[in-house]
Amino acid sequence: MSNFLETPEGPNWLHDSINKLICGENVTAPRPFGKEVSLVTPQSLYEALAEHLGAQEHIAPLLTDNREYPLERMICEVIADGRGIHRKAHDLACEAVGPSKAGHPTALHDVAEALIRPWANEYGRALAEEVAADLAIDRYEQAKADAA
């Protein structure tokens, strides 16, 4: 299979997935006959953001091993809700994570993209399997109807 991000659906999927992850939702892939599988979780975004913040020169790394990541969750919430709701807090959250190096609205989007991008081909493969399974079911149902 070719690179999913080079397909017409790929960039839209990546954009939507980044926003889902920042808003606290799992990035998932379909399964042909079952429940969706999570590719990236918000917890992994919080962990990656903690590492990103620790690498910022203007922010001292946290001296705690808090697996809940309350500050990172708060930053994600404030950025996800937008400036229209949080105004000054939004500006401060964007300043804390730093500027985007990839042309996104914030560096948080860069961090989310770095987590999601490696899973794009897995998502594309899963989507292709789901479509193939749906087509097989449709062909079976049609053959069954034709035989009747």
Side-chain angles (χ1 to χ4, degrees):
M1 176 180 182
S2 64
N3 186 351
F4 179 70
L5 293 177
E6 293 175 1
T7 66
E9 301 87 11
N12 288 336
W13 172 82
L14 181 61
H15 178 268
D16 293 344
S17 296
I18 289 169
N19 288 331
K20 279 179 70 171
L21 188 61
I22 289 172
C23 289
E25 298 178 38
N26 289 341
V27 176
T28 60
R31 285 191 177 160
F33 300 107
K35 186 177 166 186
E36 292 183 331
V37 61
S38 291
L39 301 175
V40 184
T41 65
Q43 181 69 20
S44 59
L45 177 62
Y46 306 148
E47 292 169 5
L49 181 57
E51 289 178 21
H52 173 79
L53 291 173
Q56 299 291 324
E57 293 178 12
H58 63 281
I59 297 177
L62 297 176
L63 300 176
T64 180
D65 186 21
N66 186 347
R67 305 305 284 168
E68 295 296 316
Y69 300 100
L71 295 175
E72 291 78 13
R73 288 176 41 214
M74 179 185 64
I75 289 171
C76 290
E77 288 283 332
V78 169
I79 290 176
D81 287 346
R83 190 173 196 293
I85 295 174
H86 295 292
R87 292 181 178 74
K88 182 69 173 171
H90 180 269
D91 294 344
L92 291 171
C94 291
E95 184 180 330
V97 298
S100 170
K101 293 182 171 113
H104 291 296
T106 70
L108 178 60
H109 292 76
D110 294 350
V111 172
E113 179 178 349
L115 291 170
I116 296 167
R117 186 174 280 277
W119 291 99
N121 288 335
E122 176 68 20
Y123 175 82
R125 184 198 56 73
L127 185 61
E129 286 178 5
E130 181 184 48
V131 169
D134 288 346
L135 287 173
I137 290 170
D138 290 346
R139 277 190 241 117
Y140 172 77
E141 294 293 329
Q142 185 62 43
K144 195 167 128 180
D146 290 344

